[in-house]
Structures are given as C-alpha cells and as structure tokens.
C-alpha cells in the first residue's frame, strides 16, 4: 500500500503548482471552491469504493481527486496561453520517469547493511535524476553544475 501512496505525490505536486498559481493570480475564491470540491470528491469516493477496493482505495482516490482538482484549477487559470501547464507537465513527466526507473532497478543490488543500502539508493537516484535531466533538457541541471563549479573554485 505504501508504494501506492508514493504515486499520490504526483497528484499532489500538480495540485500544489496550480493552486499556488491561482493564489498568485488573486483567484482566492475560485481556489477555495476547488479545494472544497476536491475534498468532497476524496470523502465521497472513499466511502463509495471502500468495500470494493479495501485499503487501496485511499491512495487511488487521493491521487485521482487531486488530479481532478488540479485540472479544475488549470481550467480557471487566467493565463492559459502561459507556459505553466507545459512546464508542469514536463516536471510531472520527469518525476514519473525517474520514479518508474527507480522502482524497476532499485533491487539490482541489495546490501545487508542498511547504511550501505541507503547510500546505494541515494547515489542511484542521483544518477538517474541527472541523466533524465540531461535528456529532458531541464534547466536546473545547468544551474546546479554552475553552482558546483563555483563551490569547487572557491
């Protein structure tokens, strides 16, 4: 079940980005209404689907309700021609690809020592993130490299 909750982060990420965008564009009342609708969806679908999906209902409903809320926020965003949606989609895709790769290759090596396992997973995650950032041309990679070079040259 805990792996399903990690997928919820995707819905929460998109929901949060569009929520902040609405608040920044002074759409407070619409934002509040959409937040209420999202929470009503979460509660309603949890009650309706609990018998069918058992404990798995919570992360599934949480993810889809927040994606629906994010979509409603996007539709009420005043600057639809703005790049916010494209950028959000790009970073969402980045998170999804990185997470899926980690799910499939994290068990290639297994260490008895928990500290070694944590170090291995951290380095593996870092390597995957940098590689995906390079291929997706994510701007933060260039900024990070510049900052590391500045730190080394001090």
């Amino acid at each position: 079940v805990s792996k399903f909750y990690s997928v919820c982060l995707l819905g929460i990420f998109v929901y949060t980005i569009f929520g902040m965008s609405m608040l920044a564009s002074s759409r407070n009342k619409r934002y509040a209404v959409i937040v209420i609708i999202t929470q009503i969806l979460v509660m309603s679908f949890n009650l309706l689907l609990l018998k069918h999906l058992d404990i798995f209902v919570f992360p599934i409903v949480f993810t889809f309700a927040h994606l629906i809320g994010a979509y409603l926020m996007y539709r009420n965003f005043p600057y639809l021609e703005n790049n916010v949606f494209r950028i959000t989609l790009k970073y969402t895709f980045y998170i999804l690809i990185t997470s899926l790769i980690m799910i499939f290759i994290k068990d290639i090596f297994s260490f008895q020592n928990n500290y070694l396992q944590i170090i291995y997973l951290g380095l593996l995650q870092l390597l995957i993130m940098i590689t995906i950032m390079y291929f997706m041309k994510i701007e933060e990679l260039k900024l990070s490299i510049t900052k590391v070079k500045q730190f080394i040259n001090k």
Side-chain angles (χ1 to χ4, degrees), residues 136-147:
M136 290 184 71
K137 295 178 177 48
I138 292 180
E139 297 81 21
E140 284 78 7
L141 180 61
K142 291 178 186 173
L143 179 64
S144 299
I145 291 170
T146 303
K147 292 295 181 184

Side-chain angles (χ1 to χ4, degrees), residues 87-113:
I87 292 169
T88 303
L89 199 58
K90 179 179 180 178
Y91 283 94
T92 303
F93 190 61
Y94 167 71
I95 292 170
L96 187 62
I97 289 173
T98 305
S99 300
L100 286 174
I101 290 172
M102 273 301 288
I103 287 169
F104 290 115
I105 69 169
K106 70 178 173 47
D107 295 324
I108 290 175
F109 293 106
S110 183
F111 298 96
Q112 295 297 327
N113 185 323

Side-chain angles (χ1 to χ4, degrees), residues 67-83:
L67 286 173
I68 290 168
Y71 177 75
L72 292 174
M73 288 180 196
Y74 164 71
R75 296 299 304 160
N76 283 281
F77 191 64
Y79 312 106
L80 286 180
E81 68 279 352
N82 199 328
N83 288 331

Side-chain angles (χ1 to χ4, degrees), residues 4 8 16 31 56 58 64 68 84 95 104 107-108 111 114 117 127 136 148:
F4 287 117
C8 289
T16 303
Y31 172 73
F56 297 103
F58 300 114
F64 286 109
I68 290 168
V84 172
I95 292 170
F104 290 115
D107 295 324
I108 290 175
F111 298 96
N114 289 337
Q117 188 70 23
L127 178 66
M136 290 184 71
V148 168

Side-chain angles (χ1 to χ4, degrees), residues 33-91:
V33 169
I34 293 170
V35 167
I36 291 169
I37 290 169
T38 302
Q39 296 312 310
I40 289 172
L41 284 173
V42 168
M43 290 184 287
S44 301
F45 283 118
N46 278 341
L47 290 172
L48 290 171
L49 299 174
L50 182 61
K51 291 180 182 177
H52 304 289
L53 298 174
D54 200 30
I55 196 165
F56 297 103
V57 72
F58 300 114
I60 292 169
V61 167
F62 203 69
T63 301
F64 286 109
H66 283 85
L67 286 173
I68 290 168
Y71 177 75
L72 292 174
M73 288 180 196
Y74 164 71
R75 296 299 304 160
N76 283 281
F77 191 64
Y79 312 106
L80 286 180
E81 68 279 352
N82 199 328
N83 288 331
V84 172
F85 183 70
R86 186 183 62 78
I87 292 169
T88 303
L89 199 58
K90 179 179 180 178
Y91 283 94

